Amino acid sequence: MRRGTRFSRSSAAPAAAALCLLAFRLDAGQIEGSVIVTQRLTKPRVTAAADGYQRGVAVELASDGDFDWLAYERSHVVIYLEGRLPAPKNSRVAVIEQKNRRFVPDLVVIPAGASVSFPNLDPIFHNVFSLSRTRSFDLGNYPRNQTRVVTFPKPGIVVVGCHLHPNMSAIVFVAPNQWSTTADADGRFRLADVPPGRYTLVAWHKRAGYVRHTVDVPAEGVVPVQFTIPLGNLEGELHSGLRREEP
């Protein structure tokens, strides 16, 4: 069957599409795995009372509350590939909202060259800035329902803050390629359509640092991987884990 028929509207189109999909899968594998975290790693976040640094409109204060901290830790483990891979696709725009005097989410993973939008959803002014070597910027102060967009051209870890509300912080993890993700609340992750080859699979957590495994990805099939996040010396807290800004 001719390759051009994959776009045909004839009755043969579904079969052609299936053959093309099969051929694509035979030329790429996937990595599936899990992350094991056995104890809480992140200290509680403390937000100052509104009257301590703000005048005017009162804004609801988000609280950590009672929730599954192990699920939180697992979902804050970044997974990405190192090795010879195609250049990143740069069309993606991630979103970090400023809401209830917090950045939501407080971690996003994007490929190098992608952008992040920072909309302000609070009825007060916010500011977004970073002093990170990977990407430094200051978006100034702006009101509700406005946003600013920042592009991140090179891999690294970017710590984001707000000059007006020092309790607010977030991380933009800029991966070297599009084969990057975070684990879900159960610790599961998946990297699909990986070109065959040998790579280094990296897991990163802001307090535990980096864990690396070598993986051989076949032309088809699944490579299973399991990460156990180290629980050794974690006293360095956030900033010690971020001194190595290049993933």
Side-chain angles (χ1 to χ4, degrees):
M1 183 175 293
R2 294 181 179 176
R3 183 176 298 176
T5 58
R6 62 185 293 192
F7 301 109
S8 171
R9 296 182 181 273
S10 70
S11 59
L19 286 174
C20 289
L21 181 59
L22 178 60
F24 182 73
R25 288 178 176 171
L26 290 175
D27 197 32
Q30 62 185 24
I31 301 170
E32 291 184 357
S34 61
V35 172
I36 298 175
V37 181
T38 58
Q39 73 179 47
R40 179 172 170 177
L41 305 175
T42 305
K43 291 184 178 181
R45 291 178 290 184
V46 178
T47 302
D51 57 5
Y53 57 81
Q54 170 189 318
R55 295 179 180 177
V57 179
V59 176
E60 180 183 355
L61 174 61
S63 173
D64 289 335
D66 296 325
F67 67 98
D68 189 340
W69 274 100
L70 291 184
Y72 173 88
E73 302 293 3
R74 290 188 290 262
S75 66
H76 282 66
V77 175
V78 176
I79 311 291
Y80 68 96
L81 281 179
E82 291 178 336
R84 290 188 175 183
L85 287 158
K89 298 177 181 179
N90 302 332
S91 58
R92 177 184 171 188
V93 178
V95 176
I96 296 180
E97 298 176 343
Q98 299 160 91
K99 184 177 182 181
N100 295 333
R101 288 186 279 148
R102 283 191 174 177
F103 287 116
V104 182
D106 60 359
L107 169 67
V108 296
V109 180
I110 60 172
S115 302
V116 177
S117 176
F118 296 93
N120 180 3
L121 303 184
D122 282 337
I124 56 175
F125 279 78
H126 278 303
N127 164 276
V128 183
F129 79 100
S130 177
L131 301 177
S132 299
R133 293 192 304 271
T134 298
R135 182 72 166 90
S136 62
F137 57 89
D138 190 333
L139 305 183
N141 304 339
Y142 54 98
R144 186 177 191 173
N145 295 329
Q146 288 193 15
T147 190
R148 304 287 189 270
V149 178
V150 179
T151 299
F152 297 83
K154 65 179 182 178
I157 298 169
V158 180
V159 183
V160 176
C162 174
H163 280 307
L164 301 178
H165 309 113
N167 65 284
M168 294 175 60
S169 67
I171 293 174
V172 178
F173 193 101
V174 189
N177 51 67
Q178 67 251 33
W179 287 277
S180 56
T181 188
T182 55
D184 65 16
D186 295 321
R188 296 171 299 195
F189 65 88
R190 179 174 178 265
L191 298 176
D193 302 330
V194 181
R198 170 166 287 191
Y199 307 100
T200 299
L201 184 66
V202 186
W204 175 88
H205 185 280
K206 66 182 180 182
R207 292 203 64 203
Y210 296 83
V211 183
R212 287 175 164 85
H213 287 315
T214 299
V215 293
D216 291 300
V217 179
E220 62 174 313
V222 177
V223 179
V225 179
Q226 184 178 86
F227 284 104
T228 300
I229 299 303
L231 300 178
N233 181 14
L234 299 176
E235 295 302 319
E237 190 51 37
L238 175 63
H239 294 291
S240 66
L242 298 182
R243 284 185 183 133
R244 294 178 56 196
E245 291 190 345
E246 297 298 329

